[in-house]
Amino acid sequence: MDADVRTITIDFFSGKLRPKNKKQGTDYSDLTVSSIFRKIALQDQPPAHENGPYLFEIRRLILSGKRYFGEFIKLRRDQIPLAGAPGGSERDLELEEQEGLLEKNFFSYYPDHELLLFHKNGHASSASRLAWYLSKFSEPRVVFDSILQPDPLRRLMRGDLNPRSLEIRFAPPSNADFFPAETWNRKILEILNGSAGISMHLHIRGDGKSRDPTRRFLSKDMKRAVAELCELGALKKAQVTLEEQDTEELIPLDLIHDRMYSIQDVEKQGRYFVPTAMRVALDNAYHEKRDQIIEIFGSDQDKLA
């Protein structure tokens, strides 16, 4: 069967551990996200965990050189759709008793940086679902935060750039204790929880006609609040307009658009991706962003064995 080539997106995430509740401390000794992967890799058949109509599991997890390769599986065993063709009849999909519809994401993980590269597949799972699965193997919970490109984040936090406006949409964690007390994010989350809402869309701007800095600009604490939400991976939209204090030049930033990702072409054999080709694509994505990864993580331990 002839192979064809498809374009895929690979997203970059930073793996971290956070307490599952406010009673849990933050001292995890030597536990890391990579140590959880190591524990799973030693198992002949890692367990599947259920969430709604789906089962999730990791398959073919191996350590190759300085990175893990694996496949994150979503198996649907309930509400199976029918098969059919345009203008034709419909029929049940014939599945064995324990079978279901299977979708997968390919991924690689670099322990040196606690760095996840995750193949985006809208029919399968997300990095947050993988974090949920890994959290089944540890006392603290696993989170994967999207990695921002270095330059936009630096510009956001520059002291000579004042925030004129921001527009954010986010679905923050339900536990306000993830934010320090008396911070803007903590207060907003408490308001959201008190309303029984699950997401919030805010558009805040200063008075551009005023020459009074206290009216013209938003509080600089807002920049830290946006960066904090970015680090949590909670933002769905984050557009900030900054003003250069000497020239009054307006600088728009779109922090979601500036997340780190890579576009790769991958061979597909019939309906399915070739696993070896996916591994090559993940490696190519890493090397494409290698310089930025080193800049962000401050490490030169990036050569594959």
Side-chain angles (χ1 to χ4, degrees):
M1 183 179 295
D2 293 336
D4 64 354
V5 175
R6 299 294 178 90
T7 298
I8 66 167
T9 299
I10 295 171
D11 291 319
F12 291 67
F13 300 89
S14 175
K16 298 182 177 69
L17 297 175
R18 292 201 178 100
K20 289 181 178 177
N21 54 64
K22 61 183 179 181
K23 295 181 180 180
Q24 194 177 77
T26 57
D27 181 12
Y28 308 131
S29 300
D30 295 329
L31 183 65
T32 60
V33 178
S34 56
S35 68
I36 298 172
F37 275 115
R38 183 167 59 250
K39 179 193 302 185
I40 295 173
L42 294 174
Q43 300 182 25
D44 293 333
Q45 180 59 55
H49 290 287
E50 186 174 0
N51 185 272
Y54 304 108
L55 288 172
F56 297 89
E57 64 181 0
I58 287 179
R59 295 183 181 177
R60 289 176 277 280
L61 182 65
I62 61 168
L63 179 63
S64 177
K66 290 190 175 182
R67 76 289 205 212
Y68 287 95
F69 287 117
E71 300 171 17
F72 188 46
I73 304 299
K74 181 178 81 172
L75 189 67
R76 179 174 179 174
R77 298 193 300 176
D78 189 23
Q79 301 177 4
I80 303 298
L82 298 172
S89 60
E90 302 172 354
R91 62 178 176 81
D92 289 334
L93 294 175
E94 296 181 2
L95 301 174
E96 299 293 336
E97 184 177 351
Q98 295 301 315
E99 290 183 330
L101 297 183
L102 186 150
E103 294 283 356
K104 65 177 69 176
N105 305 85
F106 293 85
F107 67 88
S108 59
Y109 196 82
Y110 290 79
D112 283 349
H113 305 304
E114 298 294 339
L115 171 68
L116 173 71
L117 276 66
F118 195 77
H119 149 235
K120 182 181 289 185
N121 177 0
H123 298 290
S125 301
S126 63
S128 60
R129 180 58 63 190
L130 175 61
W132 167 86
Y133 178 85
L134 295 174
S135 297
K136 301 292 185 181
F137 298 85
S138 71
E139 189 64 27
R141 70 186 183 102
V142 176
V143 294
F144 288 122
D145 296 336
S146 296
I147 296 176
L148 297 179
Q149 304 275 8
D151 185 58
L153 194 56
R154 277 199 302 267
R155 297 175 81 182
L156 174 67
M157 301 311 297
R158 270 173 50 184
D160 61 334
L161 298 179
N162 297 307
R164 278 277 300 273
S165 69
L166 69 85
E167 183 176 4
I168 57 175
R169 186 171 70 250
F170 61 103
S174 58
N175 186 356
D177 293 315
F178 289 122
F179 298 115
E182 303 306 319
T183 62
W184 184 81
N185 283 334
R186 175 75 169 260
K187 294 173 182 177
I188 286 294
L189 182 55
E190 290 172 347
I191 292 173
L192 181 60
N193 287 342
S195 71
I198 60 171
S199 66
M200 183 176 286
H201 188 173
L202 293 176
H203 190 179
I204 309 173
R205 62 180 179 84
D207 183 357
K209 296 180 180 180
S210 175
R211 305 308 300 177
D212 180 355
T214 63
R215 293 179 55 83
R216 184 177 181 85
F217 305 119
L218 305 178
S219 165
K220 288 194 175 183
D221 290 341
M222 301 302 293
K223 297 202 295 185
R224 168 46 54 194
V226 172
E228 190 176 55
L229 288 170
C230 285
E231 291 168 1
L232 277 175
L235 287 171
K236 306 302 180 184
K237 181 176 186 177
Q239 295 178 341
V240 183
T241 300
L242 305 172
E243 182 180 296
E244 211 280 335
Q245 64 183 17
D246 294 329
T247 66
E248 297 188 357
E249 175 189 2
L250 295 180
I251 302 172
L253 296 180
D254 187 333
L255 297 176
I256 300 302
H257 181 269
D258 289 325
R259 287 178 174 177
M260 187 180 292
Y261 67 94
S262 176
I263 303 296
Q264 297 289 325
D265 291 332
V266 184
E267 177 183 331
K268 211 174 184 186
Q269 194 74 45
R271 298 179 180 177
Y272 310 108
F273 285 113
V274 179
T276 53
M278 290 298 292
R279 292 180 185 180
V280 170
L282 289 162
D283 274 349
N284 288 344
Y286 176 86
H287 287 292
E288 177 188 316
K289 303 295 184 181
R290 185 190 64 176
D291 291 344
Q292 295 175 49
I293 291 169
I294 293 173
E295 182 178 354
I296 292 170
F297 291 97
S299 172
D300 200 19
Q301 299 178 2
D302 66 313
K303 293 184 179 180
L304 301 181

